[in-house]
């Protein structure tokens, strides 16, 4: 089961496009600068920093001298704003970032995030976003790393998030600054992935993001908050657990529940909903969050979403798959709240049709999720009336679900055979590949789903139900296959079970597969 991937952002655009405005501000900065871009060298950099430091000092002095007379320090604030605008031209020369750090300008710039004048703090936010923009940093790995390290050392994360909490979505300039704050954090994560956990350890960003996705009204910042949350949760068990402890599972469920009986109105809103499901699936990796999901009636909500057949249909199946993997209580709840009927209707191909759903890959992903979900049910429910209800699904309508299972078995088996032949040809062409890489390539081509289908067939065989056994034997014979073909797939699966969950769990998993192999 893969970790969900977060989508890459588009630039903030107020309603739809801020890119032109950002470019204009850069042009203005160039015009205001005394130096043309081609003369942007160390000497120019020193001049820019010196001029900025001078205006900063003047502003501090004016504010201290006339604290209650804003008109007396207003001019110095305008001049400070202009100096910050000039510094934006540094984005055109990222190779000078190490020198910017050496000139000790970073602390002075970052301290302005706490400036009493929010407009000055917003200037700094826009400057940071420009300096760390992924297009600017491309092919400048070392200068980027030096800049980001210096920013982190000088508390950029704490200062950005503190400033974030005083910004309002009701003001267009502040709304733009919220977006650029999140963009700067994402840019720093791109350069230094450890920032994803650092920002959650040191600041209240997770709580702010939860507050943002709680809001019922959709806007571009709610969309971006959902994306940043997905990025922070991806590949980080620490963040997944941290958010779980903050009632995050419940908040994300409430956010997706808004779409249980309606579709998103725009493509941006649709992307936000996908981000929210990415967050939910990441949250469902740690065991304690699966428990929270079941307690918060997440299983019931996902089944309702499936029954409504709206655009979140496939995402609900994905979330159920994550929740039920290696967690029997979720499997039991699923059976108790009559999820079998809904899941097996989808398994038989009765899925809602839309433009997106017609795409072949969409349907394949759905099939793979459903196979994984059914395999989890068999692994999680080993006895009792629930097991009987699960098995009975494969008997009804003249074993049509076993027919469907065998249809999928043949399709995925053919695909894996084709990939195996391709890999053998590569070896003949002297392209070396170790066994692990070959196995991973086969998994990507469909071997994992084929293995799960074999596991389900094995469980059906172990039930000792004469009608099911007869049907499996008949279908194998029709395809000129034998039980040995299934056993071979199961043996390869057995031999490659990893020890990610510990040596004891690996032994237990292997013992379960060995039992199925023996029964065949």
């Amino acid at each position: 089961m893969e970790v969900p991937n977060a989508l890459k952002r588009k630039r903030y655009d107020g309603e739809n496009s801020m890119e032109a405005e950002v470019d204009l501000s850069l042009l203005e900065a160039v015009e205001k600068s005394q130096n043309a871009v081609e003369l942007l060298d160390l000497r120019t950099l020193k001049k820019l920093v010196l001029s900025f430091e001078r205006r900063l000092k003047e502003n501090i002095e004016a504010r201290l001298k006339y604290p209650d007379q804003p008109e007396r320090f207003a001019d110095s604030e305008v001049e400070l704003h202009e100096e910050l605008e000039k510094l934006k031209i540094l984005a055109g020369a990222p190779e000078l970032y190490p020198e910017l750090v050496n000139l000790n300008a970073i602390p002075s710039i970052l301290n302005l995030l706490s400036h009493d004048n929010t407009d000055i703090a917003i200037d700094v936010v826009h400057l940071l976003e420009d300096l760390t923009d992924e297009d600017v940093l491309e092919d400048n790995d070392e200068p980027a790393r030096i800049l980001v390290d210096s920013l982190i050392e000088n508390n950029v994360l704490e200062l950005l998030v503190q400033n974030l909490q005083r910004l309002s979505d009701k003001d267009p300039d502040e709304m733009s600054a919220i977006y650029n704050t999140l963009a700067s954090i994402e840019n720093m994560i791109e350069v230094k992935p450890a920032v994803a956990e650092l920002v959650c350890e040191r600041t209240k960003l997770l709580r702010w993001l939860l507050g943002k996705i709680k809001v019922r009204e959709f806007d571009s910042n709610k969309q971006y908050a959902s994306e940043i949350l997905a990025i922070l949760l991806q590949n980080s068990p620490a963040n997944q657990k941290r958010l779980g402890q903050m009632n995050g599972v419940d908040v994300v469920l409430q956010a997706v529940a808004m779409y249980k009986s309606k579709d998103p109105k725009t493509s941006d809103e649709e992307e936000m909903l996908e981000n929210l499901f990415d967050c939910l699936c990441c949250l469902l990796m740690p065991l304690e969050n699966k428990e929270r999901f079941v307690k918060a009636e997440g299983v019931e909500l996902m089944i309702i979403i499936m029954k409504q057949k709206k655009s979140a249909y496939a995402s609900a199946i994905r979330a159920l798959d994550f929740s039920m993997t290696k967690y029997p209580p979720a499997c039991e709840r699923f059976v108790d709240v009559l999820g079998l009927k809904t899941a097996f209707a989808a398994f038989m191909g009765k899925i809602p049709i839309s433009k997106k759903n017609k795409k072949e890959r969409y349907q394949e992903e759905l099939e793979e999720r459903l196979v994984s979900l059914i395999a989890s049910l068999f692994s999680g429910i080993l006895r009792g009336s629930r097991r009987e209800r699960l098995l009975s699904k494969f008997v009804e309508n003249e074993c049509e679900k076993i027919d469907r299972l065998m249809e999928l078995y043949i399709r995925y088996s053919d695909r894996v055979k084709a990939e195996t032949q391709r890999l053998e040809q590569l070896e003949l062409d002297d392209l070396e590949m170790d066994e692990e890489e070959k196995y991973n390539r086969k998994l990507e081509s469909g071997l994992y789903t084929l293995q799960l289908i074999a596991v389900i067939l094995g469980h059906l065989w172990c039930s000792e139900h004469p009608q099911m056994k007869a049907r499996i034997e008949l279908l194998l014979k029709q395809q000129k296959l034998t039980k040995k073909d299934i056993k071979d797939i199961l043996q390869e699966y057995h031999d490659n079970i990893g020890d990610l969950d510990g040596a004891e769990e690996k032994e237990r998993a292997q013992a379960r597969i060995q039992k199925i192999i023996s029964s065949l």
Side-chain angles (χ1 to χ4, degrees), residues 299 302-303 306 316-325 334 373:
V299 173
M302 296 306 119
I303 292 169
M306 285 180 70
I317 292 173
R318 182 161 66 111
L320 283 169
D321 180 26
F322 272 81
S323 71
M324 288 156 64
T325 300
F334 184 80
L373 188 149

Side-chain angles (χ1 to χ4, degrees), residues 132-404:
T132 60
D133 186 276
E134 63 175 342
D135 294 333
V136 170
L137 297 182
E138 196 176 1
D139 303 324
N140 286 283
D141 294 351
E142 188 59 17
R145 188 190 58 73
I146 290 168
L147 175 66
V148 170
D149 282 346
S150 178
L151 290 171
I152 302 295
E153 282 165 26
N154 288 285
N155 305 317
V156 69
L157 301 174
E158 294 88 334
L159 291 163
L160 277 173
V161 176
Q162 281 166 21
N163 185 55
L164 193 59
Q165 290 166 338
R166 65 171 171 163
L167 300 176
S168 165
D169 277 326
K170 293 181 174 63
D171 179 289
D173 291 337
E174 292 188 14
M175 190 175 182
S176 166
I178 289 170
Y179 191 94
N180 281 331
T181 298
L182 298 178
S184 299
I185 292 169
E186 183 183 0
N187 292 340
M188 288 188 279
I189 292 170
E190 283 281 320
V191 174
K192 187 173 181 171
V195 170
E197 289 190 2
L198 279 176
V199 73
C200 297
E201 283 168 21
R202 297 182 182 181
T203 77
K204 293 180 180 175
L205 180 62
L206 281 180
R207 198 164 291 286
W208 185 90
L209 292 168
L210 281 181
K212 195 80 197 122
I213 65 168
K214 268 185 185 176
V215 179
R216 292 196 74 83
E217 296 76 27
F218 173 78
D219 63 40
S220 55
N221 281 346
K222 182 177 178 182
Q223 177 194 353
Y224 201 7
S226 69
E227 186 175 336
I228 292 294
L229 192 56
I231 289 168
L232 293 174
L233 294 172
Q234 196 178 324
N235 305 325
S236 174
N239 287 348
Q240 293 158 8
K241 290 175 183 178
R242 195 176 276 118
L243 196 69
Q245 289 158 4
M246 293 164 60
N247 200 33
V249 174
D250 207 44
V251 172
V252 176
L253 282 172
Q254 286 171 30
V256 300
M258 294 180 203
Y259 297 90
K260 66 183 177 188
S261 54
K262 69 171 186 177
D263 282 333
K265 291 175 184 169
T266 64
S267 59
D268 284 346
E269 195 172 356
E270 192 175 322
E271 187 179 313
M272 182 202 68
L273 184 56
E274 286 175 16
N275 291 339
L276 289 172
F277 272 102
D278 282 343
C279 293
L280 185 57
C281 291
C282 285
L283 274 171
L284 287 168
M285 301 296 272
L287 195 66
E288 59 262 43
N289 286 345
K290 293 178 194 275
E291 187 180 347
R292 292 182 177 108
F293 178 81
V294 172
K295 280 185 181 171
E297 299 185 353
V299 173
E300 289 88 331
L301 176 61
M302 296 306 119
I303 292 169
I304 289 168
I305 291 172
M306 285 180 70
K307 283 180 176 174
Q308 294 291 337
K309 296 185 176 176
K310 297 296 179 184
S311 67
Y313 180 86
S315 298
I317 292 173
R318 182 161 66 111
L320 283 169
D321 180 26
F322 272 81
S323 71
M324 288 156 64
T325 300
K326 298 176 185 174
Y327 191 62
C331 300
E332 290 165 5
R333 176 68 66 87
F334 184 80
V335 176
D336 292 346
V337 296
L338 311 179
L340 291 176
K341 184 180 178 183
T342 311
F344 277 101
F347 179 69
M348 293 304 294
K350 295 169 187 170
I351 61 171
I353 297 298
S354 71
K355 280 182 184 176
K356 184 175 79 171
N357 297 6
K358 283 179 181 173
K359 291 177 183 170
E360 190 180 339
R361 186 61 201 137
Y362 172 91
Q363 296 191 12
E364 278 182 5
E365 282 175 12
L366 213 53
E367 281 172 4
E368 288 164 11
R369 287 283 170 207
L370 288 160
V371 166
S372 175
L373 188 149
I374 294 165
S376 290
L377 284 169
F378 274 109
S379 300
I381 301 169
L382 300 174
R383 57 189 66 82
S385 62
R386 294 187 187 101
R387 179 82 173 185
E388 288 305 314
R389 285 161 70 184
L390 177 59
L391 288 167
S392 70
K393 284 285 167 189
F394 287 88
V395 181
E396 64 187 24
N397 297 332
E398 297 180 355
C399 300
E400 65 173 5
K401 291 167 190 73
I402 297 179
D403 295 356
R404 171 72 169 150

Side-chain angles (χ1 to χ4, degrees), residues 436-465:
E436 187 180 353
E437 191 178 347
K438 279 196 281 187
Y439 184 69
N440 287 334
R441 291 279 185 94
K442 288 199 291 182
L443 285 176
E444 286 167 16
S445 74
L447 177 60
Y448 181 62
T449 300
L450 180 62
Q451 289 170 341
L452 293 181
I453 294 168
V455 167
I456 297 167
L457 286 168
H459 277 289
L460 295 175
W461 188 268
C462 288
S463 70
E464 297 295 333
H465 193 291

Side-chain angles (χ1 to χ4, degrees), residues 480-498:
K480 297 184 173 58
L481 296 168
T482 67
K483 286 182 298 198
K484 184 182 181 301
D485 294 290
I486 296 174
K487 282 165 75 173
D488 288 345
I489 292 164
L490 289 172
Q491 190 62 54
E492 186 178 23
Y493 180 48
H494 169 281
D495 295 344
N496 285 281
I497 289 174

